[in-house]
Amino acid sequence: MKKVLARILYEILAKHLPASHAVLNVGQEGFRHWCVQNFCGGGQIGQNVDIERNASISSKVHIGNHSGIGKNALIQGEVHIGNYVMMGPECQIWTINHAMNRTDIPMIEQGVTQERPVYIGDDVWIGSRVTILPGVRIGQGAVIGAGAVVTHDVQDYSIVAGNPATTIRKRK
């Protein structure tokens, strides 16, 4: 019952409150955290997690300590986010896609693919409007440039950008 109540409170109230660091502070950061922690199952959401305004979050998400979810983010399915992860606004993380294997029936009638979880390591910076596709693993210390479409795994301490995202250089 608590899980359902927390989801309802999040969807109708918490996600629409002002941004976490807005001048008007009505406890929105703590309230969003409480709601998400409770509809995801207590141990899946770490301490000092900042979930910004209008973020749509799956109940299967895991978020480490000191991480943030950007404004208007969309996190779908099973996603594991490490500690100290920064996420810009309007990011999308997908774990399923439309099935399209068959050519004898319309794609709209083929359903969806099997879920492929996404894993994001510790100390990662994800820029604004990044799209991360199913099954991707983003390594520790990586930087994902704004607007990137991440279709493949990202190595530790890599800086990637573009569509599809390619490695620009290493951080160390």
Side-chain angles (χ1 to χ4, degrees), residues 18-153:
S20 294
H21 303 291
V23 174
L24 176 62
N25 187 338
V26 293
Q28 59 268 32
E29 187 175 356
F31 186 46
R32 279 194 286 265
H33 183 271
W34 180 88
C35 289
V36 173
Q37 184 173 43
N38 282 285
F39 75 69
C40 287
Q44 294 180 187
I45 307 300
Q47 296 177 347
N48 196 30
V49 171
D50 180 20
I51 297 152
E52 278 296 348
R53 185 172 206 273
N54 290 325
S56 294
I57 300 171
S58 161
S59 61
K60 298 195 294 186
V61 72
H62 300 256
I63 306 172
N65 298 320
H66 311 288
S67 292
I69 306 300
K71 290 179 189 172
N72 301 314
L74 174 71
I75 302 176
Q76 179 265 334
E78 184 181 344
V79 176
H80 299 263
I81 299 170
N83 299 312
Y84 298 98
V85 173
M86 297 184 293
M87 182 184 298
E90 300 179 9
C91 291
Q92 297 185 5
I93 303 175
W94 299 96
T95 60
I96 60 172
N97 204 341
H98 294 282
M100 58 182 169
N101 303 23
R102 297 180 56 186
T103 57
D104 60 324
I105 60 173
M107 288 181 278
I108 199 168
E109 294 178 7
Q110 294 184 44
V112 295
T113 60
Q114 184 176 3
E115 183 172 43
R116 295 172 49 213
V118 169
Y119 295 88
I120 299 169
D122 296 336
D123 190 30
V124 170
W125 179 12
I126 302 170
S128 178
R129 294 188 173 173
V130 167
T131 300
I132 301 171
L133 296 183
V136 167
R137 290 179 177 270
I138 297 175
Q140 180 174 336
V143 176
I144 314 298
V149 177
V150 185
T151 60
H152 294 91
D153 292 354

Side-chain angles (χ1 to χ4, degrees), residues 4 6 8 90 97 166:
V4 172
I8 290 169
E90 300 179 9
N97 204 341
T166 56

